[in-house]
Amino acid sequence: MAGFLFGSTFLVVQDAIEGADVLPFLAVRFLIGGAVLWPLARRRPTSVGEVRHGALAGAVLLVGYVLQTVGLRTVTSATSAFITYLLVVLVPVIGVVRSRHRPAGNVLLGVGLAVVGLYLLSGGSSGFGRGELLTVGAALCFAVHIVVLGEVASRHDPIRFTMWQVLTVGAACLVPGALSGGGYGFGGGAWLAAAFCGVFATAAAFWCMTYGQRVVPEAQAAIILLLEPVSAGLLGVATGEDLGAKGFVGAGLILVAVLVAELGGSRVPAVGGELGVAGEPEPAP
């Protein structure tokens, strides 16, 4: 669900943000997300370290969004998508460094299929310059975010933990957004897009991601999140865009990769995520 909701933003935002600067748009989007979560979060149980962990995860997200956006000034969206979603490779690499354990064979096979599928879906990448390097940094940040969630998500209430993440991004963008370009004076279409993204692609999507990573291992989560570019591509086809034969083959390979990664091994909590919110062991479903 998180992957689908993230993918829906491409269709909604593509035209709306042409008249809005990135930082104010992100500030509005993430602050709306935090406002949606606040009435629910205030009734949920608190936990030790939730603000610190939420701010850490939010800070990693913030850096990733900024690097990706700056990189998009000199690279195409297809190249940016391809490099960004190489996080599917970075997440298990980080896991190996941290745990000294090689991922299961089905996960490695899923990663390989996903990379080939992503290459076909995005049209590949040519050349490597400053924009590509910045986008690699963004991919690393998003991979670290997945790892952070795998480490601490099971210790906190998912609604409260999600709220602190999105509020961190929104608050960090608030003042710089007012000082950049046209500030918050963008049109009604951009405000509607920001509201949609705030409710669905921020509050709902990051809650789904945080809740899911209480039990889904990090490497599998990275592969599942590749449903984002697949859903974006298919939604584009539904509105008249041409995905092409390679694109459909790539989307199919990513779906196969998700199935291989999920069906080929046992489900265990992510490294460091052994304890649930209430301090009890988190059972494997």
Side-chain angles (χ1 to χ4, degrees):
M1 183 61 73
F4 174 79
L5 290 170
F6 287 141
S8 69
T9 62
F10 290 95
L11 184 62
V12 174
V13 176
Q14 188 172 23
D15 296 324
I17 63 170
E18 288 185 1
D21 290 326
V22 173
L23 285 178
F25 185 86
L26 287 177
V28 172
R29 167 186 169 176
F30 279 86
L31 288 176
I32 287 175
V36 169
L37 291 167
W38 169 248
L40 303 173
R42 62 192 297 267
R43 302 176 183 176
R44 308 287 292 185
T46 62
S47 54
V48 177
E50 65 174 25
V51 177
R52 176 166 53 88
H53 290 155
L56 172 63
V60 174
L61 267 184
L62 172 67
V63 175
Y65 274 112
V66 171
L67 290 176
Q68 184 185 51
T69 302
V70 176
L72 274 168
R73 293 176 179 174
T74 55
V75 301
T76 65
S77 58
T79 298
S80 177
F82 174 70
I83 296 175
T84 297
Y85 283 98
L86 287 179
L87 62 85
V88 75
V89 177
L90 295 174
V91 169
V93 169
I94 295 172
V96 170
V97 172
R98 292 169 60 240
S99 67
R100 304 289 189 244
H101 294 301
R102 184 176 68 88
N106 63 298
V107 174
L108 293 175
L109 178 58
V111 167
L113 290 171
V115 171
V116 175
L118 184 59
Y119 182 86
L120 294 174
L121 181 62
S122 66
S125 174
S126 59
F128 199 89
R130 179 175 178 269
E132 286 81 2
L133 183 61
L134 290 172
T135 309
V136 169
L140 179 59
C141 287
F142 294 139
V144 171
H145 179 252
I146 291 175
V147 172
V148 170
L149 292 192
E151 181 75 21
V152 302
S154 63
R155 305 178 190 179
H156 308 299
D157 177 83
I159 295 179
R160 290 185 64 87
F161 186 45
T162 303
M163 180 193 69
W164 292 121
Q165 292 179 70
V166 301
L167 283 179
T168 297
V169 179
C173 292
L174 185 60
V175 174
L179 301 176
S180 65
Y184 296 96
F186 39 84
W191 279 97
L192 288 175
F196 174 88
C197 291
V199 174
F200 296 104
T202 302
F206 280 110
W207 174 81
C208 288
M209 184 177 174
T210 299
Y211 188 89
Q213 282 202 242
R214 288 158 58 88
V215 293
V216 177
E218 297 147 7
Q220 274 120 309
I223 295 175
I224 295 172
L225 287 171
L226 282 175
L227 291 174
E228 176 181 346
V230 173
S231 65
L234 295 179
L235 285 171
V237 170
T239 57
E241 295 182 6
D242 183 14
L243 192 59
K246 287 184 177 180
F248 278 108
V249 173
L253 281 176
I254 290 174
L255 295 177
V256 171
V258 172
L259 291 175
V260 168
E262 283 298 288
L263 300 179
S266 60
R267 179 72 58 77
V268 295
V271 176
E274 296 86 356
L275 296 179
V277 171
E280 297 296 329
E282 188 78 5

